[in-house]
Amino acid sequence: HTDPSTANEVTGMLILTQALKRVGIDTMYGLVGIPVTEFAYIAQGEGIKFVGFRHEQQAGMAAATHGFLTKTPGVLLTVSSLGFLNGLTATANATVNCYPMIQISGSSEREPIDLMQGTYEGLDQLNIAKPLVKAAYRINRPEDIMTGVVRAYRAAVSGRPGGVYLDVTTPCLGAVMDRKAAEATLYTPVDLCPAVVPSPQSVARAMELLAGAKKPVILLGKGAAYAQVDDKIRKFVEATGVPFYQMSMAKGLLPDNHELSVNSMRSYFMEQADVVMLIGARLNWLLSRGHGKWNPDGKFIQIDIDPEEIDINRAIAAPVVGDIESSIDAMLAALPSYKMSMDSDWVPSLQSASKAKNAKFAERFVPQTVPMTHWSALSAVRKVFASNPDVVLVNEGANTLDDTRNAIDMMLPRHRIDCATWAIMGMGMGSAIGAAVASGKSVVAIEGDSAFGFSGMDFSTICRFNLPVTVVIFNNGGIYNGVGENLSKDGDPAPTTLNINARYDKLGEAFGAKTYYVTTPADLATALSESIASKKPCLIDVQLAADSGKESGHIGYLNPAALISVK
Ligand code: ADP
Ligand code: MG
């Protein structure tokens, strides 16, 4: 791999590299092959970190997590056809979650694709990507590369962030251009993510409603965490004295043990609150789309950058359309002219009920059970997290997700990455890698055994890049649990059954990680503490009881039921 350019000529691949550097991209996640291998070499040679994966979907999950944590687009590089499609899954997921990312994919030359003549990895990628992403562009000529990169960047980060697809054809990557002419196409764009300032009327309307509320609650979503204005949000919450609830990935924006946190009182305040202020949180299925338990007479304030998010499920009495920083700034400035009129017993009653509920909840953490249940394993994990608050927690599974989320308080913003809006599985290794690379912090991924299966091979990527990531696998031998009833006429395993005796630690060993197989909470605590302290790739196989966990965890109600119970 020699220098891609001569004194007088450069290739599209070098121009693409330089264009990415002009917008500040310093990291790419991906998996190479025809036609992007040389491009990855060139980018790496020019100082862009390239994290090579075993599966494009995981590289995409890493890019998406990178985007969420840095407020700049994470970049995924894929090959044509299947690599593109594998990666597109993650780009679609990023779009749904409002994470900024750009999937750059090589694609075949246009002419045989457009005439459907059957060419190497021929697929009309741009048109396939379009309905699943925020924006999609194709670059056919090297002189258009800078424009394509800038447009992709702006689409990914500005307004509501999302996934962007950037198609770069093989001829464009290989095209040769005069060096001076190529340099003349490059520029450094200005104000890549412009502020969106809310109208003063919308701010006044919202402040009036909030100040007049008797039983208000503030609901913080991952949009609020993404905004990186933690101190301002904290100031607003504390100045108003309004209790707050944090959605899963907003946990830790304010410490979960803050005196105004009502994280365990969700049903109660849904029924009771008269004014709910949503900050970067959607009133989607995760919040019963604004119905169900919600007080039918309650009123909503919603701060969101996307005007089309307003009124999607329920009337929003006071929409504030703007970016969260500009919106909170405006509200903080307005605050002195308003007087809160909360019922004097609203906060104290929530606090005492919350305290009682948390104490009752803590009774679940019985450390002595062997074989372990999710709760006994978590009794160990939560202690280790309490003494390592700066570790980023990646979490997926069914019961492993629900129980870990409830068991582990987050103390710092953007330290929890999970399967988010779609509640999907298969984000674990990629997100852990993206989190480690983007934050430079230690990461612990707590995975159900089923969840780990979707991305397990990319544990090897953690090892090759020697990242400070510990993967903890809660093995209960199945999807939901390992005791699925066997209805097969041939004695096949039940659809939900995996392998309760699988030794995932041996898989970790294959790639040179430090591994542990633990059967008791005490050994789990030791293994996890050691692993975090080592700042090296580690894998802990946690042996659970096969009957620990229930179908679909907390969302079993979404499962269509059989007429006759199969279990
Ligand atoms: P959660 O799942 O935590 O409730 P969602 O992903 O459903 O969070 O909602 C996040 C919301 O935040 C989205 O509607 C998105 O438009 C909004 N958002 C994202 N970034 C910003 C920002 N910088 N300013 C304002 N709103 C934002
Ligand atoms: Mg399982």
Side-chain angles (χ1 to χ4, degrees), residues 176-407:
V176 172
M177 223 181 140
D178 172 75
R179 178 184 287 277
K180 285 229 168 65
E183 275 165 9
T185 67
L186 299 174
Y187 69 99
T188 303
V190 175
D191 198 10
L192 276 167
C193 182
V196 178
V197 181
S199 78
Q201 298 90 312
S202 70
V203 172
R205 192 187 296 119
M207 287 305 297
E208 194 130 317
L209 187 56
L210 186 69
K214 303 287 173 213
K215 298 175 172 183
V217 169
I218 291 175
L219 230 132
L220 300 167
K222 64 180 174 297
Y226 173 79
Q228 296 195 14
V229 285
D230 319 313
D231 292 345
K232 291 179 179 184
I233 289 174
R234 184 175 187 143
K235 201 168 156 193
F236 185 77
V237 167
E238 289 175 351
T240 56
V242 175
F244 68 90
Y245 177 89
Q246 310 193 109
M247 299 297 286
S248 176
M249 280 178 57
K251 276 165 72 73
L253 200 174
L254 275 75
D256 273 339
N257 64 358
H258 189 285
E259 56 172 15
L260 289 173
S261 162
V262 290
N263 272 8
S264 57
M265 299 300 294
R266 177 170 155 142
S267 297
Y268 182 82
F269 71 68
M270 282 167 89
E271 285 162 11
Q272 298 289 319
D274 60 348
V275 174
V276 178
M277 180 169 177
L278 303 163
I279 307 183
R282 284 174 284 189
L283 215 42
N284 59 14
W285 74 282
L286 290 157
L287 291 169
S288 313
R289 297 204 293 267
H291 298 287
K293 284 190 177 151
W294 287 106
N295 172 5
D297 301 321
K299 295 206 159 38
F300 286 86
I301 299 166
Q302 182 164 25
I303 304 182
D304 205 288
I305 201 157
D306 185 358
E308 290 181 39
E309 186 58 35
I310 308 302
D311 284 346
I312 65 163
N313 281 307
R314 181 165 169 165
I316 302 296
V320 178
V321 174
D323 69 77
I324 286 165
E325 176 158 32
S326 304
S327 305
I328 292 290
D329 279 347
M331 289 184 156
L332 279 169
L335 198 56
S337 4
Y338 292 87
K339 198 175 162 327
M340 297 297 293
S341 42
M342 256 192 293
D343 279 353
S344 58
D345 62 347
W346 174 236
V347 174
S349 70
L350 274 166
Q351 282 170 330
S352 65
S354 174
K355 213 169 162 191
K357 220 166 158 203
N358 292 344
K360 180 98 185 75
F361 184 71
E363 289 170 11
R364 296 180 189 211
F365 299 107
V366 200
Q368 69 272 18
T369 341
V370 172
M372 284 185 276
T373 61
H374 288 79
W375 296 114
S376 55
L378 285 166
S379 73
V381 173
R382 78 201 294 247
K383 281 196 202 114
V384 178
F385 265 86
S387 40
N388 292 281
D390 199 16
V391 165
V392 178
L393 170 62
V394 170
N395 189 200
E396 64 172 335
N399 297 276
T400 302
L401 173 82
D402 294 332
D403 298 348
T404 303
R405 180 179 55 236
N406 292 335

Side-chain angles (χ1 to χ4, degrees), residues 374 397-400 447-451 474-482 496 498 544 548:
H374 288 79
N399 297 276
T400 302
E447 303 269 314
D449 58 327
S450 161
F474 278 13
N475 186 9
N476 66 351
I479 300 168
Y480 313 132
N481 57 43
T496 49
L498 298 170
L544 299 188
S548 181

